[in-house]
């Protein structure tokens, strides 16, 4: 993602924003979009914004994505304002262009959006304490709760079948058959491991299809680094990365939290001996999520919380594996073997979750 400074400046000037552009620097660890922190001089005061290019290879309907984000952030902002919360809960705030649209386009037809930067808070790739896990889960749980009464119709399904694990398996099997890069033989062990999980991985979808688990508005990308933790209070103050907010299952969100927040070393760790599920973090995550979501979750949802972690970790693992087989066309990679390394990391975590399933079930029964 090489862009000229003047290119980024001109994009920012398409938004109705006061002041002079100073600088834009690459920001964050996203695997999909291009993100910059932008600094403006506003009458002698420096202010930051986040500028992001929406990846059209991943999001085929960027306007639909922005429509969802606009509805969701406006709704949450209203709630945060009326609740006059003591803690400074925040929400992403979109900038608008001179026609009041929450995005702009460049000459290549790419879509860009900008947010007010949230100061004095940070996102964590690898969690250190149970307290952080508790706060993160509570923030994602509250986010779901805040959206229970979102007015207007169903949100746009911006990536259809995003968490349809059986379809993800079909795609993996197709990638193995086609083997366009000739990589399948070298990762036969990973492919076998993935296929051994196929049957169980369809559980959440089956529960939804049978009517046991309801559709809700969910975040769908609840990585631990998608919550900003306040530097002072330690609270989860803002939910980030709203691209995939759409109809989904509550369990997808809990599952992806387990996948990202309990990993002892983080998803980029290459040495799998350092990767396992930290039970102390799981327990805190579980309690934090229930604190916020207990009121609206059904018993069928609660009973499947432990399994959700295993299934979503499996799912993201097979997505990395599939992308490796297909020639690294989806996720951004920072080294040639990155996708297969990520896959191995996730599969190690799946094993660790499996081993600890009895303790997870015990916690559920308490
Ligand atoms: C992608 O870009 P990022 O890190 O927010 C991906 C998620 C994966 C995640 C794995 C739209 O999210 O589904 O879980 O990478 N987002 C999309 O790190 O595919
Ligand atoms: Mg993200």
């Amino acid at each position: 993602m090489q862009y000229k400074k003047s290119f980024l400046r001109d994009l920012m000037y398409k938004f109705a924003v006061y002041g002079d552009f100073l600088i834009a620097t690459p920001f964050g660890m996203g695997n999909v979009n291009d993100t910059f922190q932008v600094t403006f001089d506003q009458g002698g005061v420096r202010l930051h914004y986040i500028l992001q290019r929406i990846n059209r290879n991943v999001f085929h309907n960027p306007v639909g994505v922005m429509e969802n984000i606009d509805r969701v952030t406006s709704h949450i902002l209203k709630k945060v304002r009326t609740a006059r919360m003591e803690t400074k809960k925040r929400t992403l705030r979109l900038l608008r262009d001179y026609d009041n649209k929450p995005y702009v386009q460049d000459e290549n037809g790419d879509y860009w959006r900008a947010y007010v930067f949230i100061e004095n808070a940070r996102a964590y790739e690898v969690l250190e304490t149970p307290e952080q896990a508790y706060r993160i889960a509570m923030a994602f749980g509250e986010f779901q709760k805040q959206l229970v009464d979102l007015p207007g119709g169903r949100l746009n399904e911006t990536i259809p079948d995003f968490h349809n694990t059986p379809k993800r398996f079909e795609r993996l099997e197709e990638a193995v058959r086609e083997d366009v890069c000739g990589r399948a033989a070298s990762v036969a062990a990973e492919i076998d491991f993935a296929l051994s999980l196929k049957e169980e991985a369809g559980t959440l979808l089956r529960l939804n299809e049978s009517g046991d688990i309801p559709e809700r508005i969910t975040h769908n990308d609840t990585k631990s680094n998608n919550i900003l933790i306040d530097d002072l209070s330690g609270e989860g103050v803002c939910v980030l990365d709203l691209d995939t907010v759409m109809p989904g299952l509550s369990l997808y969100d809990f599952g992806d939290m387990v996948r990202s927040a309990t990993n002892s070393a983080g998803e980029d760790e290459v040495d799998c001996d350092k990767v396992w599920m930290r039970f102390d973090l799981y327990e805190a995550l579980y309690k934090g999520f229930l604190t916020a979501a207990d009121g609206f979750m059904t018993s069928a949802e609660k009973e499947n919380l432990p399994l959700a972690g295993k299934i979503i970790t499996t799912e993201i693992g097979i997505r990395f594996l599939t992308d490796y087989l297909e020639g690294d066309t989806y996720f951004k990679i920072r080294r040639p073997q990155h996708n297969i390394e990520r896959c191995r990391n996730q599969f190690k975590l799946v094993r660790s979750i499996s081993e600890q399933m009895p303790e997870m079930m015990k916690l559920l029964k308490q």
Side-chain angles (χ1 to χ4, degrees):
M1 52 158 178
Q2 293 296 337
Y3 301 100
K4 281 204 175 127
K5 184 177 170 185
S6 56
F7 176 83
L8 297 173
R9 179 198 62 206
D10 293 348
L11 275 173
M12 279 307 290
Y13 284 160
K14 291 185 179 198
F15 289 101
V17 52
Y18 165 68
D20 299 317
F21 175 99
L22 290 179
I23 193 170
T25 45
F27 190 83
M29 296 281 290
N31 292 329
V32 169
N33 295 321
D34 294 342
T35 306
F36 298 88
Q37 185 192 50
V38 177
T39 309
F40 260 65
D41 181 333
Q42 299 185 330
V45 178
R46 288 190 172 185
L47 244 101
H48 296 129
Y49 297 95
I50 285 289
L51 176 66
Q52 261 181 333
R53 187 188 72 119
I54 303 175
N55 184 333
R56 274 193 294 158
N57 182 32
V58 169
F59 298 102
H60 302 297
N61 175 11
V63 175
V65 169
M66 293 316 298
E67 223 173 74
N68 283 358
I69 297 180
D70 204 13
R71 284 178 58 191
V72 163
T73 52
S74 308
H75 183 68
I76 294 179
L77 184 64
K78 244 181 255 163
K79 290 207 167 177
V80 170
R81 285 268 159 92
T82 42
R84 287 211 192 87
M85 294 180 189
E86 289 151 40
T87 52
K88 287 209 202 111
K89 293 282 184 219
R90 284 170 275 187
T91 178
L92 289 177
R93 308 250 334 238
L94 286 164
L95 299 190
R96 294 179 177 276
D97 75 352
Y98 288 94
D99 298 320
N100 209 33
K101 288 198 308 300
Y103 56 85
V104 300
Q105 262 185 296
D106 64 19
E107 51 263 37
N108 310 317
D110 273 321
Y111 289 78
W112 295 75
R113 61 169 170 236
Y115 294 113
V116 177
F117 188 83
I118 295 183
E119 306 282 353
N120 306 317
R122 73 191 72 186
Y124 292 82
E125 301 295 323
V126 185
L127 300 192
E128 286 142 24
T129 65
E131 176 72 14
Q132 289 169 337
Y134 184 87
R135 297 297 190 183
I136 281 172
M138 204 162 110
F140 277 127
E142 275 167 3
F143 179 78
Q144 277 190 11
K145 197 156 119 187
Q146 284 168 330
L147 295 176
V148 163
D149 59 349
L150 181 79
R154 198 167 179 263
L155 287 176
N156 303 310
E157 231 174 298
T158 47
I159 304 183
D161 296 318
F162 190 58
H163 281 300
N164 185 326
T165 319
K167 284 226 170 117
R168 297 284 185 186
F169 269 99
E170 279 170 27
R171 175 96 182 248
L172 169 65
E173 287 169 306
E174 196 181 310
V176 173
R177 270 195 307 276
E178 294 183 357
D179 195 17
V180 289
C181 299
R183 289 172 163 177
S186 67
V187 294
E190 285 76 14
I191 296 169
D192 286 347
F193 180 71
L195 294 179
S196 75
L197 298 162
K198 184 176 166 180
E199 173 56 27
E200 183 183 57
T203 311
L204 301 186
L205 201 70
R206 283 195 293 272
L207 285 167
N208 175 236
E209 282 165 356
S210 63
D212 291 308
I213 285 182
E215 178 183 286
R216 303 186 184 283
I217 298 172
T218 49
H219 182 283
N220 296 304
D221 186 9
T222 50
K223 274 165 90 162
S224 58
N225 68 2
N226 280 334
I227 294 287
L228 284 179
I229 301 220
D230 189 89
D231 287 342
L232 277 181
S233 70
E235 283 193 47
V237 281
C238 188
V239 179
L240 306 179
D241 197 352
L242 305 177
D243 289 315
T244 50
V245 175
M246 59 182 158
L249 304 185
S250 187
L251 292 169
Y252 296 154
D253 280 3
F254 185 72
D256 203 37
M257 272 182 248
V258 175
R259 179 189 78 80
S260 63
T262 72
N263 188 327
S264 56
E267 73 179 46
D268 263 332
E269 176 60 58
V270 180
D271 180 357
C272 289
D273 288 342
K274 294 189 182 143
V275 174
W276 62 86
M277 184 188 88
R278 274 183 59 180
F279 194 80
D280 60 338
L281 297 183
Y282 175 80
E283 186 171 357
L285 207 63
Y286 172 79
K287 291 184 175 158
F289 192 60
L290 281 189
T291 302
D294 203 9
F296 68 81
M297 271 205 302
T298 66
S299 53
E301 284 175 309
K302 284 184 216 163
E303 278 160 28
N304 284 285
L305 287 167
L307 186 60
K310 185 177 171 194
I311 291 180
I312 298 299
T313 309
T314 302
E315 181 189 289
I316 311 294
I318 68 169
R319 286 177 60 198
F320 289 139
L321 179 56
T322 306
D323 200 32
Y324 182 71
L325 292 169
E326 289 179 347
D328 310 306
T329 61
Y330 186 96
F331 295 106
K332 284 186 193 171
I333 52 168
R334 297 178 183 89
R335 39 184 192 270
Q337 297 291 305
H338 202 161
N339 268 321
I340 194 65
E341 288 164 0
R342 286 164 168 155
C343 160
R344 290 183 179 127
N345 173 306
Q346 298 294 289
F347 285 175
K348 172 66 200 300
L349 188 62
V350 170
R351 287 200 170 89
S352 175
I353 296 175
S354 283
E355 284 161 16
Q356 298 183 72
M357 198 55 81
E359 285 83 60
M360 293 162 88
M361 295 308 289
K362 216 186 282 168
L363 186 64
L364 186 74
K365 300 229 162 63
Q366 270 168 26

